[in-house]
């Protein structure tokens, strides 16, 4: 896999930069439970973390006199135009806005600073990995850089097909994510603890299957814990479980003592909605003696105060631990923000939700494949 440092000379190179600006938006003018530095009055971007993580790459390219056109998505239909002033503020530089792909070559001829194309998913063919779209996107460009780790599990035109038309390189953030997540995967199994909660158990079970042999303990909560508890024959009341538990848990030794389930819960309407006091104490003890921690997924329905203690106390224990601590997941980061724990307390906060889980599960990410990552391994 070639990286930005392999580009011989960036001066006047026309760079198509795939960034990740897929952010939580807030339509209201006031935002609660956010560090005040991360929002401005009237902000619409509720969580600027992903934008801030692009700054290093953008700054580097500009300092090296490259001409930069950025491509990103904002959900399937979001529009970037109203966010340009805030992107300007977060990135510390003006960003031009290009409404159509046809405008790119002309803009580059009269280049006046970095530009962002409208949400790429609003153009037909992005999600189909359409080569025609990829070719159109590449015309007038010299180089493609993928700095959007969070979409690397997507076989989309601006992530995958585009690499057929331009010399392609991994950006700093893609490199960093691979290195930090790889470091966590490869860390010695003894004293490596994985904490998994939240919902979407079908995306989390593969991570557990891949890492269980290379971890000491897996502390569980949320739907994946409910699934395993049910499979072990526990009465879990009306707690949320998946319909296809057998499929989700196939090839997983559910009796393994490494899989640690909660021992008590905060219940409502016969549902398990948070871990209880004993579990919190037990999980915190395990966390305190870990040397490597990977955490994804809240311990309970943290959005409601009455079910937030488990997530809050586990988050604080992870933040205070001296271990290498890697966290990720949109709601996990939202929870950490809600409890006003600075993201700097963690060794690494992944920008990837699904992409991080896929990487930790040992899956081949098509975006990385397109960059030649697996060919070189
Ligand atoms: P992430 O985005 O960090 O990967 P998920 O999306 O998997 O996390 O899960 C986040 C959601 O899980 C939160 O909205 C939270 O309310 C919910 N959740 C956590 N524990 C439970 C539970 N026991 N029952 C139902 N929902 C839960
Ligand atoms: Mg989520």
């Amino acid at each position: 896999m070639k990286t930005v440092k392999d580009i011989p000379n960036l001066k006047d190179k026309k760079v198509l930069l795939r960034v990740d600006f897929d952010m939580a938006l807030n339509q209201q003018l006031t935002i609660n439970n956010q560090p005040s530095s991360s929002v401005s009055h009237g902000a619409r971007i509720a969580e600027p973390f992903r934008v801030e993580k692009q700054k290093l790459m953008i700054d580097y390219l500009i300092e090296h006199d490259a001409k930069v056109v950025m491509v990103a998505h904002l959900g399937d239909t979001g529009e970037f135009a109203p966010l340009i002033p805030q992107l300007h503020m977060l990135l510390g530089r003006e960003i031009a806005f290009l409404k159509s792909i046809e405008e790119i070559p002309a803009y580059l001829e009269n280049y006046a600073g970095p530009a962002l194309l409208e949400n790429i998913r609003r153009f037909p063919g992005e999600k189909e990995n359409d080569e025609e779209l990829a070719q159109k996107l590449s015309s007038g460009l010299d180089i493609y850089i993928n700095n959007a780790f969070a979409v690397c599990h997507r076989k989309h035109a601006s992530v995958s097909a585009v690499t057929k038309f331009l010399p392609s390189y991994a950006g700093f953030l893609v490199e960093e994510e691979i290195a930090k997540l790889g470091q966590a995967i490869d860390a010695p199994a003894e004293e490596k603890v994985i904490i998994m909660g939240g919902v979407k158990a079908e995306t989390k079970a593969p991570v557990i299957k891949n890492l269980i042999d290379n971890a000491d303990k897996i502390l569980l909560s949320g739907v994946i814990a409910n699934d395993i508890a049910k499979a072990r024959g526990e009465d879990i009341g009306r707690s949320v479980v998946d319909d296809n538990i057998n499929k989700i848990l196939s090839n997983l030794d559910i009796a393994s003592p490494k899989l640690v389930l909660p021992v008590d819960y905060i219940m409502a309407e016969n549902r398990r909605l948070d871990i209880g006091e004993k579990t919190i104490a037990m999980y915190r003890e395990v966390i305190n003696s870990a040397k490597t921690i990977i955490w994804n997924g809240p311990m309970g329905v943290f959005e409601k105060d009455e079910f937030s203690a488990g997530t809050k106390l586990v988050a604080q224990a992870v933040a205070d631990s001296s271990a290498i601590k890697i966290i990720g997941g949109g709601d996990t980061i939202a929870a950490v923000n809600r409890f006003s724990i600075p993201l700097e307390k963690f060794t690494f906060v992944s920008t990837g939700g699904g992409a991080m889980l896929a990487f930790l599960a040992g899956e081949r990410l098509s975006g990385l494949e397109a960059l030649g990552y697996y060919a070189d391994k």
Side-chain angles (χ1 to χ4, degrees):
M1 182 175 74
K2 290 205 171 82
T3 70
V4 171
K5 293 279 159 71
D6 296 315
I7 303 171
N9 182 8
L10 276 165
K11 189 166 165 46
D12 294 326
K13 287 275 159 54
K14 295 167 183 164
V15 176
L16 186 69
L17 177 64
R18 184 41 161 113
V19 291
D20 171 32
F21 288 163
D22 191 30
M23 311 158 279
L25 297 182
N26 201 317
Q27 306 297 335
Q28 283 123 41
L29 291 186
T30 50
I31 293 165
N32 298 321
N33 304 309
Q34 296 282 335
S36 58
S37 66
S38 69
V39 287
S40 72
H41 184 70
R44 291 188 65 238
I45 297 171
E47 175 46 67
F49 167 63
R50 282 182 163 177
V51 177
E52 287 163 358
K53 289 292 278 189
Q54 293 296 327
K55 195 172 181 310
L56 192 69
M57 186 74 260
I58 296 167
D59 286 350
Y60 179 90
L61 293 174
I62 290 165
E63 276 157 26
H64 287 75
D65 297 319
K67 298 178 176 175
V68 181
V69 171
M70 293 179 278
V71 178
H73 73 285
L74 186 64
D76 287 348
T77 57
E79 295 182 36
F80 277 124
L83 300 180
I84 295 292
Q86 214 188 341
L87 288 172
H88 171 180
M89 187 194 77
L90 290 168
L91 295 170
R93 57 176 83 247
E94 296 232 14
I95 306 291
F97 175 67
L98 302 176
K99 208 162 173 37
S100 71
I101 296 172
E102 289 78 9
E103 288 171 51
I104 296 176
Y107 182 82
L108 286 166
E109 287 314 311
N110 301 293
Y111 186 74
L116 172 66
L117 177 69
E118 177 58 292
N119 181 355
I120 186 66
R121 289 194 188 165
R122 292 177 68 90
F123 300 96
E126 166 66 0
K127 287 170 103 176
E128 291 72 35
N129 199 32
D130 182 47
E131 294 204 357
E132 242 173 84
L133 175 65
Q135 189 167 26
K136 207 168 129 186
L137 209 50
S138 310
S139 77
L141 275 299
D142 298 321
I143 285 174
Y144 169 75
I145 297 174
N146 182 349
N147 204 42
F149 179 75
V151 285
C152 280
H153 60 320
R154 302 284 185 217
K155 200 164 188 173
H156 291 177
S158 71
V159 180
S160 184
V162 66
T163 61
K164 295 187 180 164
F165 301 99
L166 290 172
S168 300
Y169 302 86
F172 293 158
L173 182 60
V174 166
E175 269 192 279
E176 187 188 15
E177 293 267 5
I178 292 171
K180 291 285 163 48
L181 296 177
Q183 196 188 339
I185 292 170
D186 295 339
E190 315 79 47
E191 296 159 346
K192 178 170 13 180
V193 171
I194 293 156
I195 310 166
M196 285 241 140
V199 291
K200 291 185 284 188
E202 72 275 19
T203 62
K204 312 211 172 190
V207 177
I208 297 173
K209 289 174 204 172
N210 191 44
L211 297 182
I212 190 165
D213 289 337
N214 190 25
D216 182 49
K217 283 195 172 63
I218 302 176
L219 308 179
L220 298 159
S221 187
V223 176
I224 183 79
N226 294 341
D227 285 354
I228 294 171
K230 189 172 177 188
R232 283 184 181 176
E234 259 180 55
D235 174 12
I236 60 162
R238 297 179 58 234
S239 303
V240 181
V241 278
D242 290 288
D243 304 328
N244 49 343
I245 291 181
N246 288 342
K247 188 165 172 250
I248 288 172
L249 301 180
S250 63
N251 301 320
L252 180 68
D253 172 18
I254 58 159
S256 167
K258 289 185 177 185
L259 295 174
V260 183
L261 289 186
V263 291
D264 60 344
Y265 300 89
I266 306 295
M267 307 281 296
E269 292 167 0
N270 202 19
R271 279 189 179 88
R272 298 173 168 184
L273 295 181
D274 195 12
I275 55 176
E277 256 172 58
K278 281 187 201 146
T279 307
I280 293 172
M282 173 174 97
Y283 281 13
R284 283 170 66 96
E285 205 178 304
V286 175
I287 289 165
N288 288 341
S289 58
K291 292 260 160 55
T292 303
I293 300 167
I294 301 171
W295 173 34
N296 165 258
M299 297 291 97
V301 182
F302 72 95
E303 297 92 339
K304 296 204 171 124
D305 283 343
E306 60 270 42
F307 310 117
S308 66
T311 306
K312 184 176 182 176
L313 292 168
V314 162
Q316 273 165 351
V318 175
D320 292 340
S321 136
S322 57
I324 294 167
K325 42 207 166 174
I326 312 275
I327 72 165
D331 292 285
T332 303
I333 296 170
V336 165
N337 283 333
R338 183 181 169 94
F339 306 131
S340 300
I341 300 170
L343 293 180
E344 294 74 40
K345 289 275 245 170
F346 303 93
T347 313
F348 184 65
V349 182
S350 177
T351 58
M356 175 189 75
L357 292 171
F359 192 86
L360 292 174
E363 287 163 25
R364 285 170 88 93
L365 276 58
S366 49
L368 298 184
E369 190 148 42
L371 294 172
Y373 174 67
Y374 300 102
D376 303 341
K377 276 193 73 173

